[in-house]
Amino acid sequence: MNLPKLTDIDVAGKRVLVRTDLDIDIGENYRLEAVVPTLKYLAAKAVEITVMGHMGRPGGKIVDGLRIAPVSEALKKVCGEVKFEVLENLRFNPGEELNDLNFAKELATKGDIYVNEAFATSHRVSASITTLPKLLPHAAGMRFAEEVENLSKVFENPKRPVVFVIGGSKDDKKGYIKNLESFADKILVGGRLPEFYGDLALESRRNVGDGAKVIIANLNQDKEDITLNSIEIFEKAIENAGTIVLAGPMGRYEDEGHRQGTERIFKKVASSSAYKIVGGGDSLSVLSFYSLKDKFDWVSVGGGAMLDFLAKKTLPGI
């Protein structure tokens, strides 16, 4: 994919708007650290930098608990001496999520160049992601370009079998799973997602021995983890994989009594010799919890955005 690169644009002395991923839990700084190379590059060019992003879902209204200030301070600590201004939560304005042209025009007055360093949000159609870059000269941030390059390896001549392990609790993942079937060899479905499949989940389990492509886990009685039998089936599929994409925990791992599925599956993937990718906020928390981050070939800042990109090979922000 021939993305417009930051290094191809003359930014010297310009005002640059950088859309970043600021929707984080304070202390989980992986998404903040991801933007540092771009900000340092711009700072070295004597650029006036304005950072923008969103937090939570305020619904187009000002919500004191979702003000950007705490994340802004965390970003400044991560960036050290790099100087920049941070705009207030973009979603306080209803125009952001409505992809309003007038709001995009208002943002455009604050800069001469637009840089997208918000991969994790680029599956959303919003003013600062899809309309603003149409109004200014623009480029992908350094981390954004790396995301596209590394994730593309999953569908561009991958080492097979290609195995997806998808957990978590968001029902929109079901749509991604359907699109991934075209090139995946196995899709292992855990977390709370089996609930969204109803009788299909039971049918999937019956067909495991027949080489089924989508294998849906059984859940424990309280539905907070996958069963031991499902763990073992998933582990067997992971053992044979050439490429693995891991997105989301298998259960409520924060609770000691419900972390067996997540721990065993994440550690099994981490120990594999396959090309391994992991992504998503909950997945990043699991990596930190078990100190597994350095065991993966690529750790994506996005969860939904990662799956959306792999399913469609592009994003609205691209």
Side-chain angles (χ1 to χ4, degrees):
M1 184 174 291
N2 190 23
L3 288 173
K5 292 184 173 60
L6 182 56
T7 50
D8 295 334
I9 292 183
D10 180 13
V11 297
K14 302 284 180 65
R15 301 176 302 151
V16 180
L17 290 169
V18 186
R19 179 53 158 101
T20 56
D21 293 316
L22 301 181
D23 195 15
I24 66 160
D25 294 322
I26 302 296
E28 275 292 338
N29 289 341
Y30 190 71
R31 285 181 175 177
L32 301 185
E33 291 163 357
V35 77
V36 172
T38 288
L39 294 183
K40 286 189 172 179
Y41 173 85
L42 292 172
K45 300 286 186 179
V47 163
E48 181 185 313
I49 304 169
T50 299
V51 170
M52 55 186 175
H54 76 272
M55 281 189 67
R57 299 186 178 186
K61 300 175 183 176
I62 295 173
V63 178
D64 284 339
L66 293 176
R67 289 193 179 277
I68 218 78
V71 181
S72 175
E73 290 305 310
L75 180 60
K76 286 172 180 174
K77 286 180 182 177
V78 167
C79 289
E81 296 181 359
V82 178
K83 303 296 182 188
F84 51 85
E85 175 193 357
V86 183
L87 299 184
E88 184 53 276
N89 190 338
L90 293 177
R91 287 187 177 175
F92 282 179
N93 188 308
E96 169 65 359
E97 291 191 274
L98 290 173
N99 193 26
D100 180 68
L101 176 59
N102 288 326
F103 181 55
K105 286 180 177 178
E106 181 185 326
L107 293 174
T109 64
K110 303 177 187 298
D112 306 308
I113 291 170
Y114 170 88
V115 174
N116 188 345
E117 196 56 288
F119 181 83
T121 314
S122 285
H123 60 319
R124 304 296 185 197
V125 176
S126 55
S128 67
I129 294 289
T130 55
T131 299
L132 182 54
K134 296 174 183 176
L135 305 177
L136 295 172
H138 55 269
M142 292 178 170
R143 174 63 184 227
F144 195 112
E146 284 186 285
E147 288 276 1
V148 170
E149 179 184 348
N150 283 281
L151 295 178
S152 295
K153 294 175 184 177
V154 176
F155 53 76
E156 291 177 354
N157 301 312
K159 183 181 178 184
R160 292 191 177 274
V162 175
V163 176
F164 282 80
V165 187
I166 302 178
S169 59
K170 295 179 180 176
D171 61 355
D172 60 353
K173 287 184 176 178
K174 189 175 176 183
Y176 299 141
I177 289 167
K178 190 66 183 171
N179 288 334
L180 293 169
E181 288 184 46
S182 63
F183 71 90
D185 296 294
K186 280 268 189 276
I187 302 175
L188 313 176
V189 183
R192 274 296 180 92
L193 301 180
E195 284 197 277
F196 302 126
Y197 284 86
D199 291 342
L200 281 176
L202 299 175
E203 186 179 329
S204 164
R205 296 290 297 102
R206 286 197 295 270
N207 292 335
V208 166
D210 300 328
K213 178 171 284 192
V214 179
I215 301 176
I216 302 167
N218 278 346
L219 300 183
N220 289 335
Q221 193 168 4
D222 62 9
K223 300 182 179 180
E224 299 290 3
D225 200 359
I226 62 175
T227 63
L228 181 58
N229 177 249
S230 295
I231 292 171
E232 291 171 347
I233 291 169
F234 281 19
E235 286 177 330
K236 187 175 180 181
I238 290 164
E239 273 180 18
N240 300 320
T243 301
I244 304 172
V245 178
L246 177 56
M250 297 294 104
R252 191 153 63 89
Y253 71 94
E254 307 94 322
D255 180 354
E256 188 174 353
H258 297 106
R259 65 177 56 143
Q260 181 178 225
T262 298
E263 180 175 4
R264 282 184 55 170
I265 296 305
F266 269 69
K267 287 184 175 178
K268 187 70 174 179
V269 174
S271 65
S272 168
S273 59
Y275 177 68
K276 304 180 289 290
I277 287 175
V278 61
D282 289 332
S283 296
L284 293 177
S285 296
V286 175
L287 296 189
S288 296
F289 193 81
Y290 293 114
S291 301
L292 297 174
K293 202 170 287 184
D294 62 348
K295 304 293 185 184
F296 287 79
D297 296 284
W298 184 250
V299 180
S300 177
V301 295
M306 176 183 77
L307 291 175
D308 204 11
F309 176 76
L310 292 173
K312 300 173 184 174
K313 302 180 177 61
T314 189
L315 293 171
I318 293 176

